[in-house]
Amino acid sequence: MQSMFRYLTAAFLNYLMLSDIDGNLNGIEKWRISALRIMIITGYTFYSFIALHSCISAAQLDFNLVIPLTLGFYLCATLQLWLSVSHYTISAYSLLITIVVSAISINIIARDPALAMFGPVYVFSLPLVAFILLGARVGFICMLLNILPFIALLSGFQLSQYFPPHPILENGNIYIISMIFLFFNICAPLGVARSSLAARRLNQKLIEKNQELQTQNDFYKTLFVDTDVAKIVVNNGGLIKEINLAAKQLLKCDSLQSYQPTYIAELFSDFPTHIGEMIVNRSVEGKMKAFKLTRSDLFNHDDFFLTIHDITAKVMLNKTLAAQTIINRQQKLDKQTGLPNRQWLADKLNGLLPAKGNELCIIALKLGNAQFIEQKYGFQILPTLVKALAKFWHTEHKNLKHWACVDNANLIVVTELSVMNIRVTLQTFMARLPKAIEVEGHSVPVDLQAGVSSPDSTKCSAEKLINNALYAVNSSQSKINFYETSSLERFIEHQEINILLDEAMSTNELRIVYQPKVEKDGRLLGLEALLRWNSSVIGLVSPAIFVPIAEKSGLVPKITQWLITNICNQISSWKHQGFDLVPIALNISGIDLDSDDFQKHLIHSLLEHNINPKLIEIELTESATSSHKEKALLTSKVLTDWGFSICLDDFGKGYSGLSKLISYPVSRVKIDRQFIKDIHLDERKSKVVEAMIAMCRVLKIDVLAEGTEKLEEVEKLHLLGCTSYQGYVFSKPLEAEQIQPLLVAKNVFHNTIPATGSQIIQS
């Protein structure tokens, strides 16, 4: 009922047009239409009591003229309101005529001469109404026409003497005086008030416009006149309209006269034709100078600013730096081979180590038969052979571009391969390397050895890494030598795990467990699929060990496909058994998003098992980086269009979470465990988590707290606004058979979180 009343009130106020926004309708000011409607509605509303009572009295006296006359007035008022927008002028003039007719009716009906004179008095309101509704000209005309009722009032003229006698209404004097009172005390003042309000609003707009113009003028003065930056105002035809003092002094064109038209092409033969900047050269007093011209639009869009900066010194500095760079580059090249030398390599490594230290390997390639070659073919052959060796390496590994020649027999290569893969890479390279290389008409035999060092094993500087690689290549007669034995042992261990993990997918050593996600009232919300590996050779292997190895060895896409296939099989099994299904979350990496087969396999598996995409939730870890961000983003959007939901895992753990929250179509975030642990004891954590929840609420993203292990943590999170949880406080990861009872009764976790937040009872 209240909503209906509010709706009707709003509709009525809107009909009265009390707002002056979009100030004209059909060429008429809205406030005039508003004033017309206000006077008509208020007048006839208040007159209705008088009209009703007078009609009843007239009917009792058999004075039937009053009833059709009253109905005529109200019919006329209805037409005036109806035509107030489409035919405003007709409506306004008809109101003036209605006032005149009302005055004449009063003069005719009133038998008392004193009351009859109220008719001419009523007409005296015409100029006021005309000024409001139709403007000054009609108002002045009404003022002149009012001379007639004024004369009638002075002479005591009464029209009733020309009409046959009629019954006298008992309360006629009250009716007439009330009408005059209501019109002059309510209707006319409200019309004046509406016009006054419109005038005040118009005045406020004029003040604001003047302030805006003043602001633009001040802005122009600050930006153009009172500035040391050279600026020129040019119209779209290229004519210079204004040039400030700084520009005249910079371009030495003080002779430009305001009365003499000057085009910008006379100052600069080339200049920006659109918003932007351009560097041009111009001779000033016989000296060639470089200027940066920046074009920007002005308020009126008919002119534009041309800002001029003298960048001659900067250009000269860049040329000097370029020359110095060439010199430095020559100093960092080996004079005999033309390849980068040891100094260049050390500088490059120092730049790479802070960002990619653990991902680098330094390889020293040594010509083991260098002394023989030098003795047989001459010392000038060795530099050419080393250069040919570098070229062959680049041909085989185009993405491994950092190499340097440290002497006539050794070539250093920096790669971003892991220690696990470097041996295979070197073996492949040596196998493809020709036994002999043609150099200056000689078939020179090549006996190549390699030494490997890595920051992960040595924790030392660039120079030390190079020395370690050179030491390793000379440490034995083996074709491939690693600087530390521990590095080799770790390589072998990782290689074994990699082989066993690949075999585990076909020998059913991998299995999937499911950890429940619950809502605040204990209802089962969904499951997260977690991978476990019990090797028949090395026993239980933690995901923290085998997942990074899988990422480095390229097994992740294969494992993900195995997970998708088995999860779909499990969902299909539960579906055929009649269980109520809940979404299952699948963790994927950036490598999966980059893969063309991931999306294809996922959708094909769901179609094969007739599974709704809403039953699969894609969890992106915050650390899941993609090498092709645009492709990864497109893949996630395509999956969302198919009906999959995207969840951002480990939220807050790294720096990319906010970026993914904005870019990716995320529907849920999982707050990382580091923010959840002992949150009830740490107020700073509480504030951070509260901010995360508030931000997600604004973005309409669900929030789930991951790793809840204490009831107090759940209670605190509930107070902060979190409604979904996952952790050991509710359930550890369970086998598929243990999940089935939970699917029968989804409210199995009888955790009750009271509104007061005072306690949590776990059943």
Side-chain angles (χ1 to χ4, degrees):
M1 188 67 181
Q2 290 181 352
S3 60
M4 177 61 71
F5 176 75
R6 284 195 296 268
Y7 172 77
L8 293 176
T9 302
F12 177 69
L13 295 176
N14 184 57
Y15 180 76
L16 291 181
M17 296 186 182
L18 299 180
S19 171
D20 289 326
I21 300 174
D22 300 329
N24 288 293
L25 285 176
N26 298 331
I28 305 297
E29 296 95 329
K30 283 179 63 176
W31 68 266
R32 292 187 189 274
I33 301 174
S34 176
L36 173 65
R37 289 181 173 180
I38 289 172
M39 286 192 290
I40 293 173
I41 291 173
T42 55
Y44 281 95
T45 300
F46 286 111
Y47 290 166
S48 60
F49 301 102
I50 299 172
L52 181 62
H53 195 276
S54 63
C55 287
I56 295 173
S57 300
Q60 292 174 350
L61 296 174
D62 199 23
F63 187 16
N64 297 324
L65 177 63
V66 174
I67 296 175
L69 185 63
T70 302
L71 292 177
F73 278 120
Y74 274 89
L75 178 61
C76 184
T78 304
L79 291 173
Q80 289 166 359
L81 289 174
W82 184 41
L83 300 174
S84 58
V85 173
S86 59
H87 297 81
Y88 171 79
T89 305
I90 296 175
S91 181
Y93 275 112
S94 68
L95 178 60
L96 297 181
I97 295 171
T98 302
I99 293 173
V100 174
V101 173
S102 299
I104 294 173
S105 300
I106 292 172
N107 193 270
I108 294 174
I109 294 174
R111 302 296 297 273
D112 186 348
L115 290 177
M117 290 303 102
F118 278 108
V121 172
Y122 201 29
V123 179
F124 289 162
S125 64
L126 279 180
L128 177 63
V129 177
F131 274 117
I132 295 173
L133 301 182
L134 295 167
R137 184 172 61 180
V138 179
F140 282 120
I141 293 173
C142 289
M143 289 172 62
L144 294 175
L145 293 177
N146 263 353
I147 295 174
L148 296 176
F150 177 71
I151 294 172
L153 185 63
L154 291 178
S155 62
F157 179 76
Q158 190 172 357
L159 291 172
S160 59
Q161 60 185 331
Y162 300 104
F163 291 88
H166 56 77
I168 298 176
L169 297 176
E170 182 181 356
N171 297 314
N173 58 336
I174 298 176
Y175 300 152
I176 294 173
I177 294 172
S178 297
M179 287 176 60
I180 300 297
F181 170 78
L182 291 174
F183 184 81
F184 282 98
N185 197 57
I186 295 178
C187 301
L190 286 177
V192 172
R194 181 64 184 91
S195 61
S196 175
L197 176 63
R200 187 164 63 252
R201 287 173 176 171
L202 178 60
N203 184 58
Q204 182 63 32
K205 287 183 179 179
L206 291 175
I207 292 173
E208 292 174 356
K209 187 65 177 179
N210 288 335
Q211 290 175 345
E212 182 181 351
L213 291 174
Q214 182 63 39
T215 301
Q216 291 182 6
N217 184 62
D218 295 341
F219 175 73
Y220 168 78
K221 184 179 179 182
T222 302
L223 192 65
F224 187 77
V225 181
D226 301 334
T227 179
D228 295 330
V229 179
K231 291 180 180 290
I232 301 176
V233 177
V234 187
N235 67 14
N236 290 331
L239 181 66
I240 296 177
K241 297 182 68 174
E242 290 189 66
I243 179 169
N244 68 359
L245 180 61
K248 290 181 179 181
Q249 293 174 346
L250 179 64
L251 301 176
K252 306 300 181 185
C253 54
D254 297 328
S255 59
L256 285 178
Q257 302 296 328
S258 58
Y259 58 81
Q260 181 180 356
T262 304
Y263 288 89
I264 189 64
E266 298 177 30
L267 297 181
F268 297 101
S269 58
D270 199 9
F271 60 91
T273 56
H274 300 89
I275 295 175
E277 58 185 38
M278 174 187 291
I279 296 176
V280 299
N281 295 320
R282 183 180 185 272
S283 177
V284 178
E285 293 184 337
K287 297 180 180 179
M288 186 59 68
K289 290 193 172 185
F291 296 99
K292 182 174 74 172
L293 306 182
T294 304
R295 175 170 174 162
S296 54
D297 280 343
L298 286 177
F299 297 111
N300 56 16
H301 300 291
D302 294 327
D303 306 325
F304 62 88
F305 261 142
L306 204 62
T307 305
I308 309 167
H309 291 94
D310 185 353
I311 59 170
T312 305
K314 183 178 180 181
V315 170
M316 293 301 297
L317 178 61
N318 287 338
K319 290 182 178 179
T320 303
L321 291 175
Q324 187 63 42
T325 301
I326 294 173
I327 295 173
N328 292 338
R329 188 177 299 165
Q330 290 175 347
Q331 290 176 348
K332 294 181 180 181
L333 292 178
D334 183 74
K335 294 180 181 179
Q336 293 181 313
T337 63
L339 297 174
N341 58 18
R342 180 166 181 156
Q343 181 184 348
W344 178 89
L345 183 64
D347 293 342
K348 176 63 69 174
L349 265 177
N350 285 328
L352 292 173
L353 284 173
K356 299 184 176 181
N358 293 331
E359 302 174 10
L360 299 177
C361 278
I362 293 81
I363 306 170
L365 299 176
K366 173 189 174 183
L367 289 169
N369 58 342
Q371 189 174 3
F372 164 77
I373 294 171
E374 192 173 39
Q375 290 293 330
K376 183 173 181 179
Y377 302 102
F379 67 91
Q380 72 277 6
I381 291 292
L382 279 176
T384 308
L385 184 60
V386 170
K387 191 173 181 179
L389 190 63
K391 183 178 180 180
F392 187 79
W393 178 275
H394 178 60
T395 302
E396 292 293 316
H397 307 283
K398 291 184 179 180
N399 59 329
L400 309 176
K401 298 181 179 179
H402 308 310
W403 62 77
C405 178
V406 295
D407 55 42
N408 286 346
N410 289 281
L411 180 71
I412 300 292
V413 179
V414 179
T415 79
E416 294 182 13
L417 293 173
S418 63
V419 177
M420 186 189 312
N421 295 326
I422 197 65
R423 179 181 292 275
V424 176
T425 301
L426 287 172
Q427 288 174 343
T428 303
F429 174 73
M430 290 179 178
R432 293 180 180 178
L433 184 68
K435 299 296 183 181
I437 297 177
E438 290 292 326
V439 179
E440 298 180 2
H442 302 287
S443 181
V444 182
V446 177
D447 180 18
L448 195 64
Q449 292 176 274
V452 181
S453 67
S454 66
D456 188 40
S457 60
T458 59
K459 305 292 184 185
C460 54
S461 65
E463 281 293 333
K464 185 65 175 175
L465 287 169
I466 296 172
N467 289 336
N468 289 344
L470 292 172
Y471 175 82
V473 78
N474 294 296
S475 62
S476 73
Q477 297 300 316
S478 300
K479 290 292 185 181
I480 302 173
N481 301 293
F482 288 82
Y483 174 70
E484 286 187 350
T485 307
S486 59
S487 297
L488 183 58
E489 290 175 350
R490 186 163 56 254
F491 164 75
I492 295 173
E493 178 185 348
H494 286 187
Q495 193 70 11
E496 289 176 348
I497 291 176
N498 184 50
I499 295 171
L500 291 173
L501 181 59
D502 194 10
E503 295 175 351
M505 284 182 278
S506 58
T507 57
N508 294 325
E509 290 182 356
L510 293 178
R511 61 189 177 88
I512 303 174
V513 294
Y514 303 88
Q515 187 171 26
K517 303 176 184 178
V518 300
E519 296 185 353
K520 63 181 182 181
D521 56 1
R523 288 187 298 118
L524 182 63
L525 177 67
L527 304 168
E528 180 178 4
L530 302 172
L531 192 62
R532 296 293 184 263
W533 180 22
N534 187 5
S535 172
S536 59
V537 178
I538 56 178
L540 287 172
V541 184
S542 170
I545 294 176
F546 70 78
V547 170
I549 293 175
E551 290 177 345
K552 291 180 180 180
S553 63
L555 279 177
V556 167
K558 189 175 180 180
I559 292 175
T560 302
Q561 290 190 9
W562 184 91
L563 272 170
I564 292 172
T565 301
N566 284 272
I567 289 173
C568 289
N569 287 335
Q570 185 62 69
I571 293 175
S572 178
S573 174
W574 284 339
K575 181 180 178 181
H576 288 127
Q577 294 178 57
F579 291 112
D580 292 332
L581 302 178
V582 294
I584 297 179
L586 168 67
N587 287 282
I588 67 169
S589 68
I591 300 173
D592 293 316
L593 291 177
D594 292 340
S595 172
D596 293 327
D597 294 330
F598 165 70
Q599 177 183 330
K600 185 186 302 182
H601 181 74
L602 177 60
I603 295 174
H604 176 75
S605 297
L606 263 65
L607 293 175
E608 181 182 356
H609 293 87
N610 194 23
I611 296 174
N612 192 323
K614 293 183 179 180
L615 294 176
I616 298 292
E617 186 178 43
I618 307 297
E619 280 196 8
L620 299 175
T621 60
E622 192 169 18
S623 59
T625 56
S626 170
S627 57
H628 304 285
K629 293 183 179 179
E630 294 81 6
K631 183 176 181 181
L633 180 59
L634 178 61
T635 300
S636 64
K637 289 181 178 179
V638 169
L639 292 177
T640 304
D641 292 339
W642 270 88
F644 297 93
S645 58
I646 305 294
C647 174
L648 187 58
D649 198 6
D650 302 331
F651 184 68
K653 186 176 181 180
Y655 297 97
S656 62
L658 285 177
S659 175
K660 288 183 179 177
L661 201 63
I662 296 172
S663 304
Y664 285 73
V666 177
S667 60
R668 176 180 287 118
V669 299
K670 294 174 69 174
I671 301 177
D672 188 68
R673 168 63 185 154
Q674 63 177 327
F675 297 98
I676 305 303
K677 185 177 181 181
D678 295 328
I679 189 173
H680 59 291
L681 304 175
D682 192 333
E683 189 62 24
R684 290 176 65 87
K685 281 186 180 180
S686 298
K687 295 294 184 183
V688 172
V689 171
E690 187 177 15
M692 290 181 183
I693 295 172
M695 176 179 60
C696 291
R697 185 180 296 119
V698 171
L699 297 174
K700 296 182 180 180
I701 295 175
D702 297 331
V703 178
L704 184 142
E706 187 178 27
T708 51
E709 296 181 357
K710 298 178 182 178
L711 298 175
E712 293 82 3
E713 294 171 354
V714 177
E715 182 179 21
K716 182 63 176 179
L717 288 165
H718 174 67
L719 293 175
L720 295 177
C722 181
T723 59
S724 304
Y725 312 91
Q726 179 182 351
Y728 277 37
V729 70
F730 291 98
S731 173
K732 64 180 182 180
L734 303 173
E735 300 290 341
E737 296 77 16
Q738 296 173 294
I739 290 293
Q740 293 177 183
L742 308 183
L743 298 176
V744 176
K746 292 186 180 179
N747 194 12
V748 294
F749 302 98
H750 302 291
N751 292 332
T752 304
I753 303 177
T756 61
S758 60
Q759 64 177 3
I760 300 178
I761 303 173
Q762 183 181 26
S763 174

